[in-house]
Amino acid sequence: MRYPHRHLLAIEGLHPPEIASLLDLAESYVLLNRSGKTQRDLLRGRTLINLFYEDSTRTRTSFELAGKRLGADVINMSVSTSSVNKGETLLDTAATLNAMRCDLLVVRHDQSGAPNLLAQKVSSAVINAGDGTHEHPTQALLDALTLRRRRGTLEGLLVAICGDVLHSRVARSNIHLLGTMGCRVRVIGPPTLIPAAAASLGVEVFHDMQAGLQGVDVVMMLRLQRERMARGLVPSAREYFRFFGLDAAKLAWAKPDVLVMHPGPMNRGVEIDSAVADDPLHSVIGEQVEMGVAVRMAVLDVLSRSGRNG
Amino acid sequence: MADLLFTNVRLIDPASGLDQPGELLVQGGLIADLGPSLGRSDAPMLDGDGAVLCPGLVDMRAALGEPGYEYRETIASAAAAAASSGVTTLAALPDSLPAIDDPALVRLLRARGEETGSLAILPYGAVTRGCHGKEMAEIGLLREAGAVAFTDGRRAIGDARMMRLALSYARGFGARIVQHPEDPALADGGAATEGELATRLGLPGIPAAAEAILVARDIRLAQLTGGALHFAHVSTAEALMLIRRAKQDGLDVTCDTAPPYFDLNETAIGDFRTYAKLSPPLRPEADRLAVCAALADGTIDAVASDHQPRDADDKRLPFALASPGGAGLATLLGVTLAQVHGNGLPLLRALDLLTARPARVLGIEAGRLARAGPADLCLFDLERIWKVEAGLLPGKAPNTPFDGRALEGRVVGTWKAGRRVFG
């Protein structure tokens, strides 16, 4: 197993063998999960804390399930019930968790870099479950696993990431991962939602779905938050859907066997049409969720190894 | 006041262009004489061993913690940091709590400076009440009380009409308006310069053009009003180009920069280092090089510390939430000398940017070695090596963006009105 790091804070900086070995391990957990078995001895007696400063259903549940299937004691701390609302700083929280001798700390935070800050202060392994507009590494890993299982390899795939790239940590992690693993990546969206420096990340930039979807193997849709409309970055949901929402007509511009992905939760009728989201020929959205649990089991396994056998 | 004869020093007075080995005699707190050899004197001698003796530095932009932020810095701790860098005169920003928008506060700060015995504090007056940008402060009364110039500190005067009024009105009192050149609407919510690095880190960006946009507007307003205008901590190539042209056009436009903008680039914030979170944010390398060029060609009138003390709690936060600003007093001379050692900036010119030229911008008598002038002096060893260590610098604020930087050139002693205040 080639994963020499103490934490998983970002995809940027990981090397292809590190990513590949995480995916290989996750693959084995897919089989385990499908067999209905668990491996509860692996993390028995270890504590996993889900520290979520932002609402999340699927990511938190996915980590919780992953931890439990490996036998860890899982504790969920969310912002509404913890002392965070009483003004405790992130680092005070870190000190508290340290004193409780937590082994694995899964963090979601609305600020970019918050997990990096925590990682400097806690003795547990820190897993970034999404920080601000920075990265969401386990999402990129589960997307990659989904694609690799469907297509056999990531090498040479043409992937279009569509929508609010500017504010998307999913997009950043995917751009780094797919680029590292030999995919060609396009980003498509209105200029107000594409970072000015997008091209410097090694992607091709499109502002037109027809041109951008031409010949792609994979379309990754991103969630558009209502707040972007309020801040005037796009005029309205219906205008957005007209030009950037994925429906069957737009999907026809891609390769016939194109795969459609979405990190969830979806805004049906805003960035994606229900007919596409639910189309079993193209949509692998349900499979992404399944892969999510396996990928997180692999990450928990790897990051707890140093503590398990020295 | 004890008399003192400096011998075996390299006398540098940028105002007169003097740079020669010699001696300097202090009597009664004043410079009695200076020259290659002063002959016999009864005064105690100090052998400088070839170190540079120059005027005490004039720092035209520093925030003091007082009033209102004493947990960050006090006047006493700021004065200690200043003295360690050879600074004997300092223009203090008005966006404190309360803001310096009342004549009594100006008098108070001047008196507090005198109490330190080591540092003349020249308060800026607020341009607008509370530095809120809405109504003009009592610029005339503030000026009368001793406000050296006018600014809203870290806050840009964003409203064009307000800026026009301020430039126009202050002109009647011979006062300069100092602008934080960053369009507030474009900068709102931003934490780093927009570009590849900010995109990778997922940090909200501020386009570098936010600086040039306000500079262009204000130059035009200076032309409209005939007012005297100064841009603080200029950090981009484009803004410097506009300022260079305004000077060529004969407008009364001046500017300063601060050491981070010619010694660091945006990569210093890598991995979310909040001590390198400044306002304006650090820039790409091309802008840093343009700042270096503008120091050399004279477009930039002064190097200021841009001292913004913060305590650890202000900085130990996720990057976008951390308070911007860096401690700059203790490293002002050292980092500026790095341009002399490493980038070919003539020593005389470097010291000019720290003494006579900021004094000229502010219209004050300071920053020169003048017979019968106050003996505000800085003695420094041009070659002595030291290392910046956050938390170990003089002063209270740990937030230096230069942590770990090795520097060449260190102050040996600082004198204020003939009295040794450092070393």
Side-chain angles (χ1 to χ4, degrees):
Chain A
M1 179 70 218
R2 286 185 260 182
Y3 189 85
H5 311 285
R6 236 186 100 210
H7 309 288
L8 176 61
L9 301 175
I11 295 294
E12 186 177 17
L14 295 186
H15 299 297
E18 295 167 0
I19 294 169
S21 62
L22 278 174
L23 296 179
D24 292 344
L25 184 62
E27 191 89 48
S28 72
Y29 281 115
V30 175
L31 302 178
L32 182 79
N33 289 339
R34 286 191 176 172
S35 73
K37 293 180 191 146
T38 55
Q39 208 174 320
R40 293 194 196 271
D41 290 339
L42 197 75
L43 297 183
R44 188 177 303 284
R46 314 219 144 246
T47 308
L48 183 160
I49 296 184
N50 270 326
L51 180 61
F52 274 59
Y53 288 81
E54 269 187 350
D55 288 341
S56 159
T57 309
R58 74 179 62 205
T59 304
R60 188 183 54 70
T61 310
S62 181
F63 270 109
E64 185 174 356
L65 208 50
K68 285 182 170 165
R69 283 190 183 158
L70 296 178
D73 298 321
V74 181
I75 292 154
N76 292 317
M77 287 178 65
S78 63
V79 73
S80 50
T81 54
S82 77
S83 56
V84 173
N85 272 355
K86 298 171 194 156
E88 185 175 88
T89 69
L90 192 59
L91 292 182
D92 286 337
T93 306
T96 305
L97 297 177
N98 240 1
M100 293 175 181
R101 303 183 58 79
C102 145
D103 301 292
L104 293 152
L105 182 61
V106 176
V107 190
R108 167 164 292 190
H109 201 284
D110 64 355
Q111 291 294 323
S112 301
N116 302 60
L117 186 61
L118 276 173
Q120 291 166 17
K121 303 291 172 184
V122 297
S123 50
S124 48
V126 176
I127 299 155
N128 179 5
D131 62 328
T133 57
H134 178 220
E135 285 227 33
H136 192 349
T138 56
Q139 178 71 43
L141 287 166
L142 75 88
D143 288 343
L145 182 62
T146 308
L147 282 179
R148 205 178 72 165
R149 286 172 55 86
R150 282 284 180 144
R151 288 293 148 87
T153 177
L154 297 172
E155 185 84 41
L157 291 179
L158 181 58
V159 182
I161 301 175
C162 308
D164 186 3
V165 176
L166 182 64
H167 299 97
S168 178
R169 52 198 176 208
V170 174
R172 280 174 183 70
S173 287
N174 266 314
I175 287 169
H176 294 309
L177 191 151
L178 296 170
T180 303
M181 300 308 280
C183 301
R184 284 168 54 207
V185 182
R186 295 175 172 178
V187 297
I188 315 174
T192 48
L193 296 180
I194 301 287
S200 63
L201 302 184
V203 300
E204 275 184 278
V205 178
F206 291 83
H207 303 303
D208 175 87
M209 287 285 265
Q210 182 164 8
L213 290 178
Q214 210 69 246
V216 303
D217 297 292
V218 183
V219 188
M220 289 182 169
M221 297 308 296
L222 300 172
R223 179 179 163 77
L224 181 76
Q225 290 178 355
R226 296 264 157 200
E227 184 204 333
R228 311 301 171 221
M229 260 87 79
R231 289 188 51 219
L233 294 170
V234 286
S236 71
R238 69 173 190 177
E239 175 156 323
Y240 185 80
F241 185 71
R242 166 73 183 81
F243 294 100
F244 299 99
L246 189 67
D247 55 16
K250 294 196 187 83
L251 193 61
W253 294 320
K255 278 193 184 157
D257 61 347
V258 63
L259 297 177
V260 175
M261 308 178 86
H262 194 297
M266 289 184 277
N267 290 309
R268 290 168 184 266
V270 178
E271 73 262 354
I272 192 161
D273 188 51
S274 284
V276 170
D278 303 331
D279 178 356
L281 276 179
H282 299 292
S283 172
V284 292
I285 295 170
E287 208 172 310
Q288 285 175 274
V289 180
E290 184 194 354
M291 295 306 126
V293 179
V295 153
R296 285 161 186 138
M297 288 167 84
V299 169
L300 297 178
D301 177 350
V302 165
L303 290 182
S304 60
R305 277 183 193 184
S306 59
R308 291 207 309 269
N309 40 26
Chain B
M1 194 71 65
D3 297 346
L4 182 62
L5 177 67
F6 290 91
T7 62
N8 192 18
V9 292
R10 177 175 169 187
L11 292 168
I12 298 189
D13 179 37
S16 61
L18 174 77
D19 181 358
Q20 63 173 48
E23 300 180 345
L24 183 145
L25 178 65
V26 176
Q27 277 179 341
L30 304 176
I31 296 172
D33 200 4
L34 70 161
S37 174
L38 300 182
R40 293 177 56 111
S41 167
D42 299 333
M45 291 204 303
L46 190 153
D47 185 340
D49 197 20
V52 173
L53 186 66
C54 70
L57 272 44
V58 178
D59 180 6
M60 68 171 297
R61 183 180 179 88
L64 305 172
E66 293 188 50
Y69 300 96
E70 289 78 1
Y71 73 96
R72 290 173 169 168
E73 189 90 279
T74 61
I75 285 173
S77 68
S84 77
S85 218
V87 174
T88 53
T89 303
L90 174 149
L93 291 171
D95 49 337
S96 45
L97 206 66
I100 309 304
D101 60 1
D102 187 284
L105 290 168
V106 173
R107 293 195 183 92
L108 175 72
L109 275 182
R110 292 189 80 106
R112 294 292 309 278
E114 279 162 30
E115 283 168 22
T116 67
S118 67
L119 182 66
I121 295 176
L122 306 176
Y124 281 105
V127 175
T128 63
R129 285 179 204 274
C131 296
H132 293 311
K134 300 274 192 269
E135 321 151 67
M136 198 162 20
E138 293 165 322
I139 286 178
L141 293 175
L142 290 164
R143 180 78 170 152
E144 196 176 53
V148 68
F150 293 84
T151 180
D152 277 353
R154 290 160 298 160
R155 296 193 195 121
I157 300 157
D159 185 81
R161 179 174 174 273
M162 177 54 69
M163 189 61 176
R164 179 197 177 166
L165 288 177
L167 282 165
S168 184
Y169 189 76
R171 180 174 158 241
F173 294 94
R176 189 172 290 273
I177 301 291
V178 176
Q179 174 73 300
H180 167 70
E182 189 176 51
D183 184 90
L186 288 173
D188 185 36
T193 300
E194 192 171 282
E196 180 179 345
L197 184 72
T199 300
R200 283 179 188 275
L201 294 175
L203 293 174
I206 302 174
E211 181 170 288
I213 285 168
L214 213 58
V215 165
R217 183 199 79 178
D218 288 350
I219 286 172
R220 191 63 191 81
L221 290 173
Q223 200 176 14
L224 182 68
T225 58
L229 173 61
H230 179 89
F231 294 110
H233 46 216
V234 177
S235 59
T236 63
E238 200 184 351
L240 287 163
M241 192 185 71
L242 292 165
I243 293 166
R244 192 173 289 127
R245 199 161 64 206
K247 289 183 165 203
Q248 283 162 5
D249 291 346
L251 297 178
D252 190 356
V253 171
T254 54
C255 72
D256 71 75
T257 193
Y261 303 109
F262 55 76
D263 198 70
L264 301 172
N265 64 27
E266 60 179 354
T267 59
I269 69 168
D271 204 27
F272 306 100
R273 280 194 58 229
T274 56
Y275 278 16
K277 183 183 178 185
L278 306 176
S279 174
L282 289 170
R283 306 297 189 183
E285 178 66 3
D287 284 314
R288 186 191 74 83
L289 292 173
V291 172
C292 293
L295 289 173
D297 75 12
T299 303
I300 292 173
D301 297 273
V303 172
S305 73
D306 208 10
H307 187 65
Q308 287 285 349
R310 296 292 180 272
D311 87 337
D313 287 344
D314 293 321
K315 289 289 191 180
R316 276 194 296 225
L317 291 167
F319 194 88
L321 299 180
S323 179
L329 275 169
T331 50
L332 174 62
L333 180 64
V335 181
T336 305
L337 289 176
Q339 287 295 307
V340 174
H341 292 297
N343 205 21
L345 185 70
L347 179 60
L348 195 68
R349 173 151 264 172
L351 293 176
D352 201 12
L353 290 161
L354 292 166
T355 57
R357 289 183 75 192
R360 209 176 307 138
V361 170
L362 294 173
I364 57 170
E365 291 291 328
R368 52 194 311 163
L369 300 181
R371 283 184 188 82
D376 292 357
L377 301 166
C378 169
L379 182 70
F380 69 91
D381 181 336
L382 187 58
E383 261 90 42
R384 190 181 296 180
I385 307 236
W386 62 293
K387 191 170 172 184
V388 181
E389 285 176 88
L392 298 180
L393 293 171
K396 216 174 151 182
N399 59 313
T400 173
F402 299 109
D403 191 23
R405 176 85 162 86
L407 294 173
E408 200 178 349
R410 189 158 207 187
V411 175
V412 177
T414 305
W415 285 260
K416 179 69 185 171
R419 195 176 73 91
R420 189 162 194 166
V421 295
F422 176 79

